[in-house]
Amino acid sequence: MRNGIHMNILVCIKQVPDTTEIRIDPVNNTLIRDGVPSIVNTYDLYALEAAARIKDEFGSTHITVLTMGPESAENALRECLAVAADDAYLVSGKEFCGSDTMATSQVLAAAIKHIESIEGNSFDAVFCGKQAIDGDTAQVGPELAENLDLPQITSAESVVIEDGKLIVIRETQN
């Protein structure tokens, strides 16, 4: 572990159905979650793992996880706390049910700003998974960056800290 570097990282996660049989409510076009087991989105776990690796190397790293979803998403947050997260926040309410990617990114951006204000410090980095396996749009992360007026890097393969800087190696086509 190296001393002198403190990172405050937020990881956005999503609880998704653990099934290939996705059922949609024909009335309001939302996912029917009752009776379907849920997991933390696989790609979001990769983002949490990247943050955990930084934490392993630089022990003063603090990881916060954030999700927007039904109250049952608390289970996904607890899983992240058991793995590497130090704090967890759930944004939940009927008014968010069925939100599209734009609304989701706006709510998450507002939540991040609120967390920063109540904790009295800002996040050094916000990690998001590549996409959610239940929607595959890959839009929330980039929209979140836009809403927070932050630079973004997509298709990250690894993240390291060198000389006090966050270095992201990303997947590219040759």
Side-chain angles (χ1 to χ4, degrees), residues 29-51:
N29 290 324
T30 58
L31 202 60
I32 298 173
R33 293 181 182 269
D34 292 340
V36 178
S38 296
I39 59 170
V40 178
N41 181 54
T42 306
Y43 293 115
D44 298 339
L45 286 175
Y46 296 151
L48 180 60
E49 180 183 350

Side-chain angles (χ1 to χ4, degrees), residues 9 20 34 50-53 60 73 75 78 83 89 108 151 157 159 170:
I9 301 172
T20 56
D34 292 340
R53 286 183 181 181
S60 63
N75 295 330
R78 288 186 187 282
V83 171
Y89 291 89
L108 290 174
E157 288 185 346
V159 180
R170 67 186 299 262

Side-chain angles (χ1 to χ4, degrees), residues 19-76:
T19 182
T20 56
E21 182 185 324
I22 297 176
R23 298 177 301 155
I24 305 292
D25 183 320
V27 175
N28 59 17
N29 290 324
T30 58
L31 202 60
I32 298 173
R33 293 181 182 269
D34 292 340
V36 178
S38 296
I39 59 170
V40 178
N41 181 54
T42 306
Y43 293 115
D44 298 339
L45 286 175
Y46 296 151
L48 180 60
E49 180 183 350
R53 286 183 181 181
I54 292 170
K55 185 176 185 176
D56 286 346
E57 187 170 351
F58 303 96
S60 63
T61 298
H62 187 90
I63 300 172
T64 301
V65 289
L66 169 66
T67 192
M68 180 179 108
E71 289 183 23
S72 63
E74 183 179 327
N75 295 330

Side-chain angles (χ1 to χ4, degrees), residues 14-170:
K14 183 178 182 186
Q15 178 180 265
V16 294
D18 186 13
T19 182
T20 56
E21 182 185 324
I22 297 176
R23 298 177 301 155
I24 305 292
D25 183 320
V27 175
N28 59 17
N29 290 324
T30 58
L31 202 60
I32 298 173
R33 293 181 182 269
D34 292 340
V36 178
S38 296
I39 59 170
V40 178
N41 181 54
T42 306
Y43 293 115
D44 298 339
L45 286 175
Y46 296 151
L48 180 60
E49 180 183 350
R53 286 183 181 181
I54 292 170
K55 185 176 185 176
D56 286 346
E57 187 170 351
F58 303 96
S60 63
T61 298
H62 187 90
I63 300 172
T64 301
V65 289
L66 169 66
T67 192
M68 180 179 108
E71 289 183 23
S72 63
E74 183 179 327
N75 295 330
L77 292 173
R78 288 186 187 282
E79 181 181 335
C80 293
L81 287 166
V83 171
D86 300 295
D87 290 312
Y89 291 89
L90 169 62
V91 177
S92 186
K94 289 193 181 275
E95 62 273 23
F96 305 127
C97 184
S99 292
D100 64 8
T101 60
M102 181 62 78
T104 298
S105 67
Q106 290 170 340
V107 170
L108 290 174
I112 290 169
K113 290 175 186 175
H114 181 70
I115 293 167
E116 288 177 331
S117 72
I118 62 174
E119 293 195 358
N121 55 25
S122 60
F123 293 103
D124 298 304
V126 176
F127 291 1
C128 298
K130 173 181 154 183
Q131 64 196 51
I133 62 173
D134 64 344
D136 289 337
T137 64
Q139 294 175 348
V140 172
E143 289 172 356
L144 180 60
E146 181 68 23
N147 284 314
L148 292 171
D149 196 27
L150 293 174
Q152 66 169 315
I153 300 171
T154 59
S155 303
E157 288 185 346
S158 66
V159 180
V160 295
I161 296 178
E162 291 180 8
D163 299 323
K165 296 178 183 173
L166 192 66
I167 307 293
V168 178
I169 309 301
R170 67 186 299 262

